[in-house]
Amino acid sequence: MANDKTTYRIDGFSCANCARTFEKNVQQIKGVEDAQVNFGASKITVQGAATVEDIEKAGAFEQLKVVNASGPAPERQSFFKKHRMVILSAILMLIGFGLVIYYGGQNPVTTGFFLASVVIGGYRMFWTGLNNLTRLRFDMKTLMTVAIIGAALIGEWPEASVVVVLFAISEALERYSMEKARTSIQSLMEIAPNTASLKTQDGIREVEVGDIQIGDTIIVRPGEKLPMDGVISSGHSSINQAAITGESLPVEVSGGEEVYAGTLNQNGYLEIEVTKNVEDTTIAKIIQLVEEAQEKRAPAQQFVDQFAKYYTPAIMMIAVMVAVIPPLLFGAEWMTYIYQGLAILVVGCPCALVISTPIAIVSAIGNAANRGVLIKGGVHLEKIGQSSLVAFDKTGTLTKGEPHVTDFEAASNRSREEVLAIAAALESHSEHPIAQSVIKYAKSEGIRYSKIEINKFKAVTGTGISGEMGQHFYEIRKPDDDALSAQYQDDGKTAMIITEDGQTIGHIAVMDELRESSRPAIDKLHKLGIQTAMLTGDNSNTARTIADKLGIDKIYAGLMPEDKLATIEDLKKEHTVAMVGDGINDAPALATANVGVAMGKGTDTALETADMALMGNSIHHLPFAIGLSRRTLNIIKANISFAIIIKVIALLLVIPGWLTLWIAILSDIGATLIVALNGLRLLRMKE
């Protein structure tokens, strides 16, 4: 069908400009409605009818090879085979210079070697450049083609040869830099095994993960990686979940607990019931999100794209003016100023400018992903670094989200066992973490409640629960202003009362343990100059106690979900706000914040609702993500500034007539190399 979308992996991209040219070529294929290239992930998504042959023909100018994204990665070529034409071109150039020295000048023989060097090393560039000229498409290869042809026409064969060889080396360095940046993403693809041990009635057999169905049981032995997401049906072990969460410390798992593909089973024999198909596993979603993230360009990258669109034609106009105006108006030497114009074309090549941003973005997103921080695009990477305030949900974010009952008191005229049974029966109809803590406490006290019948059960988010038993109406809700509840709240506990027909018959207090990582993370945020706020449905006394323990700046207590949204909107009037929550109850606030950061150990909600996800279910990587963002922005700004300054300096050399093709190409290749290496530094940034 025409609306079908197919994604292909591309091998052979040499530069971002070439990727855009390829994208336009594919869009012009008959039957193709749209095509989008993801340069960072080396992929193209095609909507419409197009064969692999059609797509490869569109990429013939770069000798691009296309394989289906679900297929194997292209076979790696040896260094010599990959760069054989550049090496041969360089050898011919060196022979040419050797003969120039031997003969004491140029002659037909030396010109032949230089010509061979130019043709062998630059024929792909010439083909693309000439094709671009016929379509009035001006990119770096167009500039270089015109410059080299011009140099040859005025007899500067040695310099034409040098320009070809050094430009080819520059392209190779650019390609290497992007491949290096992509390595962190490609390493994710190799985390989960391709086969699994399937348990059947006839025994255990090895099968491809694509053949496993939901509900099948797989066997994972000690030391093996889990091939699929699932729930443990039998066994106990320690699992290293670094692939998902970025945490190297293993976690203990046993029957009924969820586990993820790509994680390492350390020491136990496990039987796992598969809960997701291979394309829906958490690690598969992570890879998809990270690759899509590279496609979402940051504002800095959008600026560079727009700048380069007008910059290249402007450089060509300046080159023509330098080559023509002095000889025509002032009687200057034609050959001298044609040479200067050609040098301007070379120095104006936008290689360094175009590559300054994507390498930094891909490196940063890949580094973050390997630490369990998913950033869904360059725009979010940029915004998180601009945050001046981070707002946190309390339960499950700053705390572990596993409250336990600390106090239970029945009214003096009621039996403790009776009131606790009523509370447990009511809470058994709720999925809230506090409900589970009350049920667990009742069981530990030996209370029987399962036969108590509840009618007209109702749960109101942020308020409490209610139901009828016999002729009586019961509630478990936030307390009125009574002394015992106030005492619990002063101790940092969450207090609730149990009422029968409006009369209090019991008090419950629960406490949620703080995460060990919360205080250090808050301290690091303060050192970064970022204010912190806590948004919670708890009462102000409990909220203040927890905020004091963590050093949080602002407290907003007693909030319903809609109140959290309104609070975020108010905070945005003075701050760039990042909101951190569990991705479920806090979804409206996450969507409203400038950057929504979801907690969640690989949960689908965390992956889908927010701009960022902390896969380790802990905020301790958040300061790292903000620091990484700020460093990325600084590197991008430095790269853009450096690339422009180098070109301006080289162009100013035209005034005294000092600009040569040698200086032009060396400034271009030098700038490209420096901005590429500067961007790759983000791969090595640590906590």
Side-chain angles (χ1 to χ4, degrees):
M1 293 178 62
N3 290 323
D4 286 350
K5 287 186 177 181
T6 308
T7 300
Y8 300 88
R9 184 184 294 118
I10 308 300
D11 181 49
F13 280 142
S14 63
C15 64
N17 262 344
C18 305
R20 287 193 207 98
T21 301
F22 172 58
E23 180 180 87
K24 291 176 182 176
N25 289 349
V26 175
Q27 289 170 346
Q28 292 171 3
I29 295 174
K30 186 177 180 181
V32 171
E33 294 183 11
D34 192 23
Q36 297 293 326
V37 166
N38 184 338
F39 179 56
S42 282
K43 289 186 176 182
I44 185 171
T45 300
V46 180
Q47 180 177 345
T51 65
V52 170
E53 290 75 18
D54 291 334
I55 297 169
E56 286 194 335
K57 186 176 180 181
F61 69 96
E62 275 284 278
Q63 295 185 346
L64 300 179
K65 298 299 178 185
V66 183
V67 292
N68 196 290
S70 60
E75 183 180 348
R76 290 188 176 274
Q77 294 180 319
S78 66
F79 177 84
F80 179 79
K81 186 176 181 181
K82 194 171 186 178
H83 302 290
R84 62 187 183 278
M85 303 308 287
V86 179
I87 294 171
L88 179 57
S89 177
I91 291 172
L92 291 170
M93 178 192 72
L94 292 174
I95 293 173
F97 277 109
L99 292 174
V100 167
I101 295 171
Y102 178 78
Y103 289 117
Q106 289 193 63
N107 59 43
V109 175
T110 61
T111 299
F113 276 99
F114 288 129
L115 175 60
S117 172
V118 168
V119 172
I120 291 172
Y123 74 94
R124 282 176 55 189
M125 178 182 64
F126 297 145
W127 178 259
T128 305
L130 292 172
N131 188 43
N132 287 346
L133 273 175
T134 61
R135 302 183 182 189
L136 297 179
R137 185 182 294 160
F138 303 109
D139 63 8
M140 62 186 74
K141 292 192 175 180
T142 310
L143 296 182
M144 299 302 288
T145 298
V146 173
I148 292 165
I149 292 174
L153 290 175
I154 63 174
E156 297 290 345
W157 286 102
E159 296 195 13
S161 178
V162 169
V163 169
V164 165
V165 171
L166 290 182
F167 182 73
I169 293 172
S170 176
E171 277 201 318
L173 288 171
E174 188 175 338
R175 186 184 292 114
Y176 168 79
S177 300
M178 282 305 301
E179 288 175 355
K180 185 76 174 175
R182 292 184 189 117
T183 299
S184 56
I185 311 302
Q186 292 168 346
S187 64
L188 290 173
M189 301 178 186
E190 300 167 1
I191 287 174
N194 296 320
T195 60
S197 300
L198 179 66
K199 185 178 181 180
T200 67
Q201 293 180 344
D202 301 324
I204 298 171
R205 58 190 179 90
E206 287 291 313
V207 298
E208 296 288 328
V209 290
D211 296 331
I212 294 176
Q213 304 296 316
I214 294 174
D216 286 347
T217 298
I218 58 174
I219 304 299
V220 183
R221 303 173 183 84
E224 293 182 343
K225 286 186 176 181
L226 278 64
M228 304 286 285
D229 284 10
V231 174
I232 296 174
S233 54
S234 176
H236 175 91
S237 183
S238 294
I239 300 285
N240 186 328
Q241 297 185 331
I244 302 294
T245 67
E247 304 296 326
S248 58
L249 293 177
V251 295
E252 297 294 320
V253 294
S254 54
E257 295 193 61
E258 191 172 4
V259 288
Y260 307 104
T263 57
L264 178 65
N265 177 24
Q266 293 195 321
N267 51 28
Y269 176 89
L270 297 176
E271 293 188 5
I272 298 170
E273 181 182 341
V274 175
T275 57
K276 293 179 183 177
N277 293 321
V278 64
E279 65 272 14
D280 298 323
T281 61
T282 300
I283 192 66
K285 286 192 173 183
I286 290 173
I287 293 167
Q288 179 185 353
L289 287 171
V290 172
E291 291 191 334
E292 288 175 354
Q294 298 172 42
E295 196 170 3
K296 297 174 184 176
R297 293 171 182 165
Q301 190 168 353
Q302 293 172 355
F303 162 76
V304 170
D305 292 344
Q306 288 299 313
F307 183 82
K309 182 178 179 181
Y310 299 103
Y311 166 85
T312 306
I315 284 292
M316 292 198 73
M317 287 297 297
I318 292 171
V320 170
M321 290 168 64
V322 168
V324 173
I325 291 177
L328 282 179
L329 298 184
F330 306 108
E333 180 66 36
W334 275 98
M335 296 294 280
T336 299
Y337 281 92
I338 288 176
Y339 180 87
Q340 292 282 296
L342 296 174
I344 288 173
L345 287 180
V346 174
V347 81
C349 179
C351 294
L353 193 62
V354 171
I355 203 172
S356 60
T357 307
I359 284 185
I361 295 291
V362 172
S363 298
I365 289 175
N367 187 350
N370 282 323
R371 295 175 189 276
V373 180
L374 296 187
I375 303 173
K376 297 185 181 179
V379 61
H380 306 307
L381 175 68
E382 185 166 321
K383 280 186 178 179
I384 190 66
Q386 296 170 344
S387 300
S388 58
L389 183 143
V390 177
F392 296 96
D393 170 52
K394 178 179 74 69
T395 304
T397 301
L398 298 172
T399 65
K400 292 183 178 179
E402 300 170 359
H404 58 279
V405 175
T406 59
D407 302 89
F408 181 85
E409 295 285 343
S412 59
N413 62 336
R414 302 299 291 263
S415 159
R416 187 177 190 277
E417 289 75 16
E418 177 196 6
V419 175
L420 185 53
I422 291 170
L426 269 174
E427 297 286 17
S428 66
H429 288 69
S430 172
E431 296 295 325
H432 196 280
I434 289 179
Q436 304 308 311
S437 70
V438 173
I439 292 169
K440 187 176 180 180
Y441 180 74
K443 288 180 177 178
S444 71
E445 295 284 308
I447 302 298
R448 298 179 182 275
Y449 62 88
S450 58
K451 293 184 179 180
I452 298 177
E453 187 176 346
I454 305 293
N455 297 312
K456 297 182 180 180
F457 175 83
K458 185 178 181 182
V460 180
T461 303
T463 301
I465 59 174
S466 64
E468 294 181 0
M469 301 177 207
Q471 302 300 314
H472 298 287
F473 176 74
Y474 294 91
E475 283 184 295
I476 301 178
R477 60 177 173 80
K478 290 181 177 182
D480 301 319
D481 295 329
D482 65 80
L484 186 55
S485 294
Q487 179 184 329
Y488 291 153
Q489 291 168 358
D490 287 341
D491 293 336
K493 301 171 183 176
T494 298
M496 299 169 290
I497 59 171
I498 307 162
T499 68
E500 181 184 79
D501 298 326
Q503 299 297 313
T504 300
I505 61 172
H507 289 78
I508 304 174
V510 300
M511 179 173 277
D512 192 359
E513 191 176 350
L514 291 174
R515 295 184 186 275
E516 295 84 355
S517 60
S518 294
R519 178 70 199 225
I522 298 295
D523 290 342
K524 288 179 181 177
L525 290 175
H526 287 156
K527 288 179 181 178
L528 290 169
I530 295 173
Q531 295 185 48
T532 53
M534 183 172 72
L535 280 58
T536 177
D538 254 336
N539 64 86
S540 58
N541 288 340
T542 300
R544 187 173 293 107
T545 300
I546 291 174
D548 289 344
K549 289 181 180 179
L550 296 176
I552 288 177
D553 302 313
K554 300 182 179 182
I555 307 165
Y556 299 90
L559 302 181
M560 302 287 282
E562 59 269 23
D563 298 326
K564 289 185 178 181
L565 186 150
T567 302
I568 292 295
E569 288 180 335
D570 286 340
L571 290 170
K572 283 173 64 178
K573 294 175 183 176
E574 298 181 10
H575 300 277
T576 300
V577 179
M579 171 68 190
V580 187
D582 61 13
I584 304 171
N585 296 331
D586 301 305
L590 290 173
T592 303
N594 298 105
V595 184
V597 183
M599 302 284 289
K601 206 181 218 177
T603 62
D604 289 344
T605 306
L607 291 175
E608 292 168 4
T609 59
D611 306 315
M612 286 176 53
L614 303 174
M615 304 307 295
N617 219 32
S618 164
I619 65 170
H620 86 274
H621 279 315
L622 183 61
F624 164 75
I626 293 174
L628 178 67
S629 167
R630 290 182 175 181
R631 189 168 180 182
T632 302
L633 292 177
N634 288 337
I635 283 178
I636 288 173
K637 290 174 183 175
N639 281 350
I640 293 172
S641 300
F642 177 76
I644 292 175
I645 289 170
I646 285 293
K647 294 186 183 303
V648 169
I649 291 173
L651 289 173
L652 289 175
L653 295 178
V654 171
I655 297 172
W658 296 345
L659 182 62
T660 66
L661 283 174
W662 302 84
I663 294 175
I665 191 63
L666 287 173
S667 68
D668 179 66
I669 193 173
T672 301
L673 180 59
I674 289 171
V675 299
L677 293 176
N678 199 30
L680 289 175
R681 289 167 54 212
L682 291 165
L683 285 173
R684 306 183 67 178
M685 182 174 167
K686 299 179 181 178
E687 296 284 344

